[in-house]
Amino acid sequence: MSDGRIELGEVSFDPTEIQDFRLSVEGTSDTGKTNSLAVILEDLAEVSIPTLIVERVGALSTVRHEDDDIVVVGGKEEEAVDLVVPLQELDQIGNWVLDKGMKVLLDVSTYSDYSQEESRVHLAAGKAVRSLNDRAQEKYKAGSRTKSLLVIDEAHYMAPKDNAPEPELDDNVKMCRGQIIKACTEGGNKGISTIVSYQRRAFLHNGVISLCKDWIVHGLANEDAAKVAKKLNIDRDLIDELGVGEILARGDNLTSGELVGPTKVRKRSSPDPREEEFEIPETSAEKQEVLNEIQESIEERKEEREEEKSRVEELEEKVEQLQDEKEEMQDSLENREELRKALKGLNETDSSSSEDVQEISERAEELEEENEELRNRLEVKENKLQELREERDHLQEEYEALEEKFESRLQGLNSLRSAFQQLGLASEGEVTVDGGVSEDDVENIVEDKLSDFDAGSTGESVSDIEDLVLSDFQEDAVNSLMEEVEDLSERQRKLLLFIEAKGKNLPSKKEWANGALGFVNGDVYNDMNDLQERGFVEKNAAGNVKPATERKVRDELSPYDPDDGDVGDVKKRILQKVKEAGDSE
């Protein structure tokens, strides 16, 4: 259908014409939910709308039989995967979708590794959605906002509630969930329309459900049917009586607010892998050439990163070796010092013959000369060790910077854009979004906290709602930082407060310790090194130290895209916690 209209029985709509589009497709297993999602994608086959589809069960990848613009991305070589992209490179997907107009289907099941954490699938999905969010934000700020579509299948698994039976909630799951919620809350601003499909409302996080404005409902579990009936303001019997493939629909964009249905959705045209065998369609030579160029660029970036990593590891080995040599020399020096002192004492107290005394004195002098030589060698070792440490730190910074260094590489391949346009993978002109953000009433915003919230009547904005939705995740990050603060010793707290109060580089750890405590010894150096390892301070190649609590806070909150104000507030809370802990001791 070239006009972009989607036909689901008696329901007809065009997502490319809707400014702020968030669609919920809900239904338990075997009720036709996946078929409806496939029909939606098939009806968009002739529409050049940049698209990211995230799925984990493989039921949608066959839609490319109807839409040969879809590129299936996976983490390993499989017959059904067009483009193999390592986890580290998924941050490029936002560029491919929004800058090249690609339709990317990310099969996150290909990233699972059961010898490691199962949530690698969430890490893959989260990185891809974050890439889309970040690139959309960049284009929005640059005044070149692009209309795009994000489709999340099995959303109850990808963005679960805390009390959902699976998956186990870890950092990867939280990051993935946070990015999906962010796409739902900010999508209207940045041009991202979202379609989320899920089996159980009871398991899907409220931050996703509450922001959907349009609803397609298949048969539901008993626990969910009553809530949905209330949401749609319908008799529950209408839901209970739905047959396979039948839907109810309601929403301002779908049905102008009226209830439509029950109505039957046609069977998908693409093969259903659960019901029939099929062959993988051949990739055209032109399309394969483009994919090969992208794959080569990915491999080149991977090789350069691995080379940098190897150089860092080699330097770390040299540093460790020199450290061992230094410790051996230090032990030897201490033993020689003890012997020299013993001989000197014997020389001063012994009443034996003058020849014996002379011999002891000469031996003590020899030891002193040897010790002086050993001290000089030890100083050389220490200088060499410091040089290697600085070189290692510099290489480490270069290695970490590689992630950003190549972000523009694929964008610069003008030949790829031309090739994709020839293949129909991108339109000559991108579909842009006009108009402002709709501030219609948004009901049931995060039901656990805002069950009675009414955006239209209170005058609250969409950004206010977003802050409330993400507050739980930000609080988790703050609590994690607070736990680290509680582990600090009294001396470390004084050191931290002093360097934060300075707010600038100090030329040495000695000056830092003298300023904070008035003295320096081995224990203080250990405390300072521990603060550096924890990330509360950082040292540059010249040996200067400076406060880094703000950077540590920003890194901890990074999955939730904090603004400067959020970072500053959290930093103040942490430093206040440090001060209060010191005052109470």
Side-chain angles (χ1 to χ4, degrees), residues 158-423:
M158 306 311 298
K161 283 184 177 178
D162 289 352
N163 61 353
E166 62 173 357
E168 183 178 347
L169 209 63
D170 64 12
D171 290 342
N172 291 338
V173 176
K174 290 180 180 179
M175 186 272 285
C176 178
R177 179 176 68 181
Q179 290 300 319
I180 293 173
I181 292 174
K182 182 177 181 179
C184 290
T185 56
E186 298 179 357
N189 287 336
K190 300 186 294 188
I192 303 175
S193 291
T194 55
I195 298 177
V196 292
S197 169
Y198 53 95
Q199 295 184 26
R200 289 298 315 278
R201 154 183 297 265
F203 301 155
L204 178 61
H205 196 276
N206 292 331
V208 177
I209 298 175
S210 59
L211 293 172
C212 290
K213 293 186 174 182
D214 296 281
W215 307 82
I216 292 174
V217 179
H218 297 74
L220 301 175
N222 289 334
E223 302 94 314
D224 295 329
K227 291 184 178 180
V228 175
K230 180 180 179 181
K231 173 68 181 178
L232 299 185
N233 193 25
I234 61 175
D235 191 325
R236 173 178 169 168
D237 290 344
L238 287 173
I239 298 176
D240 294 337
E241 294 170 0
L242 287 173
V244 176
E246 290 186 327
I247 64 169
L248 298 169
R250 170 166 276 175
D252 293 341
N253 298 309
L254 290 184
T255 65
S256 299
E258 299 298 322
L259 178 69
V260 174
T263 183
K264 182 80 170 180
V265 178
R266 74 177 188 276
K267 182 174 175 56
R268 63 192 288 181
S269 302
S270 56
D272 187 336
R274 300 168 300 181
E275 299 177 357
E276 56 189 306
E277 295 183 357
F278 60 90
E279 294 182 358
I280 302 297
E282 292 187 6
T283 303
S284 67
E286 294 84 0
K287 181 178 177 182
Q288 189 59 56
E289 182 180 354
V290 172
L291 296 178
N292 288 342
E293 288 189 38
I294 294 177
Q295 192 76 64
E296 288 174 5
S297 180
I298 290 171
E299 291 301 322
E300 180 182 350
R301 180 179 173 181
K302 178 181 178 182
E303 288 175 5
E304 292 189 16
R305 188 173 53 248
E306 288 177 349
E307 288 176 3
E308 288 291 332
K309 183 177 180 181
S310 296
R311 290 176 62 193
V312 171
E313 290 174 350
E314 288 175 4
L315 278 175
E316 287 178 344
E317 290 178 2
K318 288 183 180 179
V319 168
E320 186 176 350
Q321 180 181 354
L322 279 175
Q323 185 67 41
D324 292 341
E325 292 178 7
K326 175 188 169 183
E327 291 175 358
E328 290 177 4
M329 293 175 69
Q330 188 73 48
D331 292 340
S332 176
L333 179 60
E334 290 174 357
N335 292 335
R336 286 173 176 273
E337 283 289 343
E338 290 177 2
L339 180 57
R340 186 189 66 78
K341 290 178 181 178
L343 288 173
K344 184 178 180 182
L346 185 60
N347 183 18
E348 294 172 350
T349 60
D350 200 316
S351 60
S352 57
S353 67
S354 60
E355 291 182 0
D356 292 338
V357 172
Q358 181 65 27
E359 183 178 351
I360 291 171
S361 178
E362 290 175 355
R363 180 56 181 152
E365 290 177 1
E366 290 175 1
L367 280 173
E368 178 60 31
E369 292 176 358
E370 292 176 4
N371 287 353
E372 183 62 27
E373 180 182 354
L374 192 56
R375 290 189 193 97
N376 293 335
R377 289 171 57 197
L378 187 60
E379 184 177 356
V380 171
K381 288 284 185 182
E382 177 62 32
N383 291 337
K384 180 63 175 177
L385 187 61
Q386 182 61 29
E387 290 175 3
L388 283 173
R389 283 172 177 156
E390 291 175 358
E391 184 180 357
R392 178 199 61 187
D393 293 343
H394 178 68
L395 283 174
Q396 184 68 39
E397 292 175 0
E398 288 185 350
Y399 168 64
E400 292 173 352
L402 277 176
E403 292 297 325
E404 299 178 1
K405 177 181 177 182
F406 294 97
E407 283 185 359
S408 61
R409 172 165 295 178
L410 293 180
Q411 298 178 44
L413 298 177
N414 294 326
S415 61
L416 295 188
R417 174 176 293 280
S418 175
F420 272 108
Q421 288 175 347
Q422 292 173 10
L423 291 170

